[in-house]
Amino acid sequence: MIDRRAFLEEYMRLRRCEHISDCVDLLNIYSEFLFRVVDNHRQDTPTNKVDADAKVVLQMVLTKILYIKNMVEHGVSYSSPYGSELDSIIDPTIVASLTRNLYETVAMFNVIYRNTKSQDEKTILYCLWVHAGLKYRQRFESLVTTKENTQKIEHERKQLDALVAEIESTSLFKSLNDKNQKKIRARLEDKEYLLQFKDSEVVFLHWQSVTKVIGDGNGILDAMYTYLSLYAHPSNVSVFQFRGMFRDDRAFLKLTTFKLQYVFYLTSVFIADYINLFPSVLRTFESLSLKDQIILNSYNVFLRGDSFAINDAKEMLR
């Protein structure tokens, strides 16, 4: 029997996350679930490279969450050999940079693995993603000095050609008119992959616009990418805000808990999208306590609505 009052108190504590200790407790819940899924996948035999890469992305999200948790739980400090000391602090600008990286990871996963409506769409988006990374690596050709690396560059050049051929061989690509085929070729040329298909139209996306593709119906993430980018780059805004972060009011703690709210939304979205791709992972999710299921799902549902809910665990409280 669930103590409803105690449950709601704990639920609200983890939804508000007003203190660093609350945030660490929630990050522990995310970490535990993600690790269980990674651990369970050890027995899997990959059926295709596309889904195998998705499972690697899961591992990447786990390590990002663990790094963020370690940073906010322990902070940084310094003692010089001359006796001066830096008290333990958390640098919110670093938290922002890691959160921005997490957003791009979650957004990429959503665009390729959740937002695609057919196997051909998934194939095209996946190939564009792989092509973009390999084409960037071709920039290092002028720095290659060993035979082994020269062979690697040549092998990857052949992979690039094969990826283009795979895209152009899909029935979807062949069905597009010349204008939309050119759009896909433009993405290939520009080393980009963010796009979506709307009926028979290819629509270019950018990092800011992907929030709508993810399903942010409340506009919570609308300005997030721009906001986080102020800290990921050495903007003057980041400098003058840094100046006042570590005064007696300990503003850096408030700024940290504020930025961590984005971490919670993004990780919940990723978990929901991952379970949508691999439905068997739902069993692992439902092995969590009812409280953990509801809190992890609540950020996702609050952002995207009930149609994106992982399960109906919250109904058990009614």
Side-chain angles (χ1 to χ4, degrees), residues 111-173:
V111 167
I112 295 173
Y113 291 99
R114 177 84 191 241
N115 191 56
T116 46
K117 300 179 290 296
S118 69
Q119 186 58 50
D120 273 2
E121 285 191 16
K122 188 174 175 181
T123 296
I124 290 172
L125 266 296
Y126 175 80
C127 288
L128 284 170
W129 176 49
V130 178
H131 186 278
L134 291 177
K135 193 165 184 181
Y136 267 112
R137 295 220 320 179
Q138 291 288 307
R139 290 180 173 184
F140 300 120
E141 184 176 9
S142 61
L143 304 177
V144 169
T145 57
T146 67
K147 181 179 179 181
E148 179 184 0
N149 285 335
T150 299
Q151 291 174 339
K152 189 172 185 178
I153 287 286
E154 183 57 34
H155 173 69
E156 290 185 355
R157 188 175 291 119
K158 292 177 180 178
Q159 284 183 277
L160 289 168
D161 292 339
L163 288 163
V164 174
E166 186 171 359
I167 289 172
E168 294 181 347
S169 69
T170 62
S171 298
L172 175 57
F173 181 86

